Structure formats: structure tokens, C-alpha cells
Amino acid sequence: MARIFSGIQPTGHLHLGNYLGAIRNWVRLQQDFECLFCVVDMHAITLWQEPQALARATRETAAAVLAAGIDPHANILFVQSAVPGHAQLAWIFNCVARIGWLSRMTQFKEKAGKHRENASVGLYAYPNLMAADILLYKATHVPVGEDQKQHLELTRDIAQKFNNDFGVTVFPVVEPLILGPATRIMSLRDGTKKMSKSDASDFSRINLTDTADDIALKVRKAKTDPAPLPETPAQFDGRPEAANLISIYAALADQEVERVCARFGGRPFSDFKQELADAAVAVLAPITTEVNRLMADPAALDRILKDGAERARALAAPVLEEVYRAVGFLDA
Ligand code: TRP
């Protein structure tokens, strides 16, 4: 039986990229698999977070997942820090993974930047915690984007080394789940940069909290080029903004990029932008309304998350027992 684990970092200001790139895929997975969806607040604090903002972002991210259509009864939706097994297994993996393996992680290099000596130890060990997330439930499949592939490879290496070191077969080999052509949503101001909450310009992204008017304005102001819309994806070369807007439309309308090109190719951007704004509002407005409704009743939201954490703990308990026995720890 396939079991899926996926994590999303709690970031305030969720945007269209988070929705189309991750959350929406989860909604599709829940029909076919047993799924655990986790808001990974422990990963978030590898970079300093203002505590109240973190708590709010954790709820808001969970609310967005629910609003997008995840059924919390059919799946397990929970917050990472509510299940201590993640930290317990991560420590053991800190002792299994090699410093050399972690030193090769490109995400660490990017996030630590020039001040590597000053980065938290947690940021360095981040992939070990991610491996613990996945393996604590013996998940068999993890939906991954390009940026997390290296971390998933490391998870496989850790699982194998653990099994080898202790002469057991506790952990399965985890497979990546590549979900069709990756939807990489780029900035509305620069088609070569990923849409990001940390971009200085709010016009670079469509937030899940934007009103219909905000969305229409941002789409109208989105960067384009003077040529009419490309007629085929082959004409995307050198036109990152056109490629991005068409990809966004295709994702929102759930259509092939080719079809979108065939429909709008040769027409001016002004026509297309109107339709793009309408499509974005049609998809996001109901989600935004539902996020706002859920955020207005944090106690109800917390009950859903608490129930998820209880069920996650129950799944984790026997795995952790097996790990303890393999390592030589006395029963917890
Ligand atoms: N590192 C992932 C990201 O930044 C989030 C994450 C944490 C995750 N644990 C995970 C994703 C386990 C998949 C499986 O996107």
C-alpha cells in the first residue's frame, strides 16, 4: 500500500505559486493514496521566525490546505512540532548521515549564503529532519518539485545506511512522485525569478489573500513584451514573461499549454490579461473566502490539527519502537 508524506513550510502570505505548485497537487493525491500532510514548523525555525508570526502562519497554511479541498478525515493533516517522533528520529539520523553528505546540499549553500559560519546548525541538518518526517511513517512516495529532489535522494541514502548499520530492514526505499510537468510559477515582474513571498514588490505575486480587484490590477501590471502572444510553446524562447503568464493560465484553467497558445496566440496581451485575471479570481476567490472563515475560528482549526497529530502519533509509535530496538535504546 502506497503511503504519501508531504510537508509544507508555514509561511505567511501564501501565494499562487504555493497553491499551484504544491497544495493543489495534494488535493489530487488524496483520492488515490493514504496521505499525511504536514505543516513543518520545525523546518521553518531553521531561519529565525518571529514567534507570533510563526503561529499565525502555521494556522494560515493549514487553513489554506483545508480550503483547497483536503479532507482532514480521509487524510492526516497535522503540525510537525505536535508529534515528538520527528525530533526523536531526526536526532538518530543526525548520527547516521555523514557531514560530507550534508555539505553537498545545494539548498543549504543557497540559504546560508556567504555567512555559512553563522547559519544555524538546524539549517545544516534540515535534510535529516526531512528524512525523519518521511521515514517516521515509512512513507513510500513523496511528491517533490525540482528543488527538493536532492533532499529526497539523501532520505534514501539515510534509510539505506540505517538499515545497513543496524542490520535491519526497518525503512523502505522512498520513491519521488513527479506530478506531470512541474508548474513553476514565476514572478509577475520578472519571468526568470520564482514567485516568492520574499520579493520586495507585492506586484510580483498573487497572494491567497488578495481581493479580486488586487488580482486584476496585478495581472494588468504584469510585465510582458511588445510582441503578440506566442502561437506555440516553441516561441517561448527569450520570452520568459509570456511563457510564465501562459503557464499560469494553463494551470488555472487545467489546460495544456499548447492549447492555451493555440487559443490566444497572435492576440495582444491586453485581451489575454483580462481572461487570466478572471481565471485567477475564479480559482482563488472561494479559497480565500474559506481561509478567512477558518482563520476566524482558530479553536476549531486547532481541533482539526490536534486530531491529525493524534493519528500521526499513533502511526509513528510502532515505527519508533522498531527504531529504538534496532539502535539499542531501552523502550521509551
Ligand atoms: N523541505 C520541503 C520544502 O521546503 C518541506 C518538507 C519538509 C517536506 N519535510 C518534508 C516535503 C517531507 C516533503 C516531504 O518544500
Side-chain angles (χ1 to χ4, degrees):
M1 171 65 181
R3 178 181 282 171
I4 296 216
F5 186 99
S6 193
I8 186 167
Q9 292 213 35
T11 56
H13 315 293
L14 285 159
H15 54 70
L16 188 65
N18 302 123
Y19 175 68
L20 293 176
I23 298 174
R24 191 175 66 160
N25 293 329
W26 290 9
V27 178
R28 297 179 172 175
L29 290 171
Q30 71 175 339
Q31 284 142 24
D32 304 321
F33 300 98
E34 179 188 4
C35 298
L36 291 114
F37 299 121
C38 184
V39 182
V40 293
D41 55 348
M42 289 162 65
H43 277 107
I45 63 162
T46 57
L47 303 173
W48 194 82
Q49 304 293 324
E50 202 281 304
Q52 276 181 2
L54 177 65
R56 185 184 164 80
T58 300
R59 288 202 182 92
E60 203 170 283
T61 303
V65 169
L66 290 167
I70 293 292
D71 175 352
H73 303 294
N75 306 281
I76 298 183
L77 172 67
F78 70 108
V79 177
Q80 188 182 30
S81 61
V83 180
H86 292 255
Q88 290 170 292
L89 189 57
W91 177 258
I92 293 169
F93 288 169
N94 284 344
C95 303
V96 172
R98 306 290 92 183
I99 289 178
W101 297 359
L102 292 171
S103 301
R104 286 192 283 276
M105 295 293 115
T106 55
Q107 185 172 292
F108 172 74
K109 291 182 206 170
E110 271 162 34
K111 286 197 181 176
K114 289 187 212 86
H115 308 289
R116 200 179 291 196
E117 295 296 309
N118 213 14
S120 72
V121 175
L123 187 66
Y124 192 66
Y126 179 114
N128 294 345
L129 178 59
M130 181 164 159
D133 295 342
I134 297 164
L135 294 171
L136 184 60
Y137 305 98
K138 297 193 184 182
T140 56
H141 294 80
V142 176
V144 279
E146 205 49 51
D147 62 328
Q148 296 299 315
K149 262 166 108 176
Q150 197 186 27
H151 288 162
L152 198 65
E153 283 297 320
L154 190 89
T155 299
R156 292 160 62 105
D157 291 342
I158 289 175
Q160 234 165 40
K161 182 160 162 56
F162 180 95
N163 287 346
N164 267 330
D165 285 358
F166 297 104
V168 291
T169 48
V170 171
F171 295 120
V173 177
V174 187
E175 301 289 343
L177 209 72
I178 312 288
L179 298 155
T183 314
R184 262 196 104 204
I185 305 297
M186 313 304 276
S187 158
L188 298 181
R189 310 296 297 168
D190 177 350
T192 64
K193 280 198 337 208
K194 211 168 147 175
M195 186 177 283
S196 159
K197 66 151 184 160
S198 46
D199 194 310
S201 168
D202 199 51
F203 279 92
S204 69
R205 60 186 163 259
I206 294 174
N207 302 305
L208 251 46
T209 47
D210 283 347
T211 64
D213 287 345
D214 294 335
I215 294 175
L217 182 63
K218 286 178 178 180
V219 171
R220 224 179 306 130
K221 292 206 172 226
K223 187 176 170 197
T224 54
D225 55 41
L229 278 127
E231 283 162 35
T232 69
Q235 296 170 0
F236 285 172
D237 266 3
R239 303 186 64 187
E241 283 79 23
N244 185 38
L245 294 181
I246 288 184
S247 304
I248 292 176
Y249 184 90
L252 287 168
D254 216 355
Q255 288 175 12
E256 303 285 322
V257 169
E258 287 77 9
R259 230 186 105 192
V260 180
C261 287
R263 174 154 163 227
F264 293 102
R267 285 167 58 184
F269 273 99
S270 50
D271 293 6
F272 172 68
K273 280 182 162 182
Q274 185 58 53
E275 301 240 10
L276 176 58
D278 291 348
V281 170
V283 170
L284 295 184
I287 297 176
T288 305
T289 306
E290 182 63 4
V291 169
N292 292 337
R293 191 187 69 79
L294 289 161
M295 289 299 283
D297 189 356
L301 188 56
D302 289 358
R303 273 196 300 279
I304 293 174
L305 294 172
K306 194 161 169 262
D307 170 68
E310 268 167 31
R311 287 156 56 214
R313 277 197 293 271
L315 283 184
V319 181
L320 212 52
E321 255 176 54
E322 246 185 296
V323 169
Y324 267 46
R325 224 175 299 126
V327 171
F329 286 175
L330 304 185
D331 282 348

